[in-house]
């Protein structure tokens, strides 16, 4: 198994123009399928603060995309986002789901991307308690996925682990994070989509099986979740790409949307 240790911005710069429409179309279809699964399970309402965060366009017309954020009785904040210029080798789409404080299930994060010709995928559970010392939390939410994480690495030497040059990003990742790119072939797309389905299904099972958080702990858990979400959005090194594509003002709006800092619901 190889390793990639450059920034996302450097990956985009190194790739040169390459048509990844064949991957992009599958990413969009899978993202919509996962969104439908979430909407079947959770009551979700679009937050008005993200109205207008879209750039219309067709494939070949340049960069286009949309950011929508949702809230509901069980979900504090959910980001559904995609942006792409697939004729020039760029696509980036993701979910970030912050549960409400009534349960301590980890945040769910997932991204499909092309930064050049290689399909790239990320899935992880963001801890909402200190798993290094709260071993009950670790063994409940992370250890059950450890063997599968090991098997992915053992069984897929064709993949490259994405090693972020950012120390902050590396410490945010959990021990069971999927963060790989692979050769530009259907096998890679199928593997990434299969892992995304598996991890979302596992996360939803954990959510449904979660014990309620005592009322006197919910404010603290809610604040920690908000702080986690805001900080990760602000310190994401990939924000520099949004600045180049859309300008600083739009990038700032996107970061606020991801963090939910101007939410109305």
């Amino acid at each position: 198994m190889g390793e990639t240790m450059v920034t996302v911005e450097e990956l985009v710069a190194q790739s040169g123009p390459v048509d990844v429409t064949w991957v992009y179309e599958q990413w969009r279809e899978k993202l919509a399928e996962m969104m439908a699964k979430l909407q079947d399970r959770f009551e979700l309402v679009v937050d008005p603060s993200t109205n207008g965060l879209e750039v219309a366009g067709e494939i070949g017309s340049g960069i286009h995309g949309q950011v929508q954020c949702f809230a509901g009785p069980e979900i504090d904040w959910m980001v559904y986002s995609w942006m792409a210029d697939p004729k020039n080798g760029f696509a980036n789409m993701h979910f970030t789901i912050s549960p409400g404080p009534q349960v301590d299930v980890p945040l769910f994060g997932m991204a499909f991307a092309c930064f050049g010709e290689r399909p790239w995928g990320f899935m992880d559970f963001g801890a909402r308690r200190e798993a290094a010392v709260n071993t009950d939390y670790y063994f409940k939410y992370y250890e059950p996925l450890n063997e599968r994480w090991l098997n992915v690495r053992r069984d897929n030497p064709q993949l490259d682990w994405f090693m972020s040059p950012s120390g902050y990003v590396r410490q945010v990742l959990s021990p069971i994070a999927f963060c790989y790119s692979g050769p530009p072939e259907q096998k890679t797309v199928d593997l990434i989509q299969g892992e995304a389905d598996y991890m979302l299904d596992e996360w939803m099972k954990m959510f449904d099986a979660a014990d309620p958080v005592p009322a006197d702990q919910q404010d603290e858990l809610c604040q920690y979740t908000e702080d986690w979400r805001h900080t990760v959005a602000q310190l994401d090194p990939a924000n520099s790409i949004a600045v180049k594509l859309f300008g600083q003002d739009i990038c700032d709006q996107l970061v606020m949307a991801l963090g939910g800092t101007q939410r109305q619901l």
Side-chain angles (χ1 to χ4, degrees):
M1 177 172 286
E3 183 176 276
T4 301
M5 192 168 65
V6 295
T7 66
V8 168
E9 186 174 1
E10 288 170 332
L11 283 175
V12 173
Q14 291 170 5
S15 71
V18 58
D19 190 344
V20 296
T21 302
W22 71 278
V23 184
Y24 163 75
E25 290 177 337
Q26 294 182 74
W27 285 164
R28 286 291 309 279
E29 183 177 350
K30 176 56 69 173
L31 196 75
E33 177 186 314
M34 297 173 76
M35 181 63 176
K37 182 182 294 187
L38 288 163
Q39 289 178 315
D40 284 345
R41 167 59 185 83
F42 297 105
E43 180 183 339
L44 298 167
V45 179
V46 176
D47 191 281
S49 68
T50 57
N51 291 347
L53 283 178
E54 59 184 318
V55 177
E58 303 294 332
I59 293 176
S61 66
I63 189 72
H64 57 288
Q66 183 179 33
V67 176
Q68 285 186 303
C69 295
F70 300 79
E74 297 177 284
I75 300 299
D76 180 56
W77 195 243
M78 187 183 90
V79 179
Y80 175 80
S81 170
W82 64 273
M83 60 184 66
D85 184 3
K87 291 292 185 181
N88 286 302
F90 176 75
N92 186 16
M93 50 201 74
H94 71 273
F95 284 115
T96 307
I97 311 174
S98 301
Q102 67 271 23
V103 294
D104 65 2
V105 176
L107 296 94
F108 178 76
M110 185 221 74
F112 298 142
C114 287
F115 306 123
E117 67 174 358
R118 291 172 65 86
W120 184 96
F122 166 78
M123 305 101 206
D124 200 10
F125 294 172
R128 296 167 68 211
R129 297 192 188 273
E130 182 48 70
V133 294
N134 189 332
T135 54
D136 288 343
Y137 191 82
Y138 167 79
F139 281 102
K140 182 176 183 180
Y141 293 125
Y142 294 95
E143 184 61 25
L145 281 76
N146 185 53
E147 188 64 28
R148 187 180 180 95
W149 184 90
L150 292 171
N151 288 336
V152 168
R153 292 184 69 86
R154 292 179 182 129
D155 298 343
N156 295 282
Q158 78 280 8
L159 296 180
D160 281 355
W161 175 257
F162 180 75
M163 178 68 73
S164 175
S166 165
Y168 174 76
V169 170
R170 295 198 304 273
Q171 69 83 32
V172 166
L173 298 185
S174 87
I176 52 88
F178 181 103
C179 194
Y180 297 98
S181 67
E185 58 192 26
Q186 189 61 44
K187 178 182 177 181
T188 303
V189 176
D190 291 344
L191 174 62
I192 292 171
Q193 291 187 341
E195 289 303 304
D197 280 333
Y198 173 80
M199 291 193 72
L200 179 59
D201 288 347
E202 288 300 301
W203 181 84
M204 292 176 72
K205 290 176 188 175
M206 291 175 176
F207 196 108
D208 289 339
D211 295 326
V213 173
D216 61 355
Q217 297 179 21
Q218 291 189 15
D219 287 347
E220 181 180 3
L221 182 61
C222 184
Q223 187 62 57
Y224 179 86
T225 304
E226 290 180 4
D227 292 344
W228 192 100
R229 190 172 64 232
H230 297 165
T231 307
V232 170
Q234 291 166 359
L235 297 183
D236 186 346
N239 290 342
S240 61
I241 295 177
V243 173
K244 287 190 173 184
L245 292 174
F246 303 112
Q248 188 64 56
D249 288 346
I250 296 297
C251 178
D252 290 344
Q253 291 181 48
L254 293 173
V255 170
M256 287 188 289
L258 298 180
T261 55
Q262 295 195 349
R263 63 186 298 176
Q264 298 179 30
L265 296 179

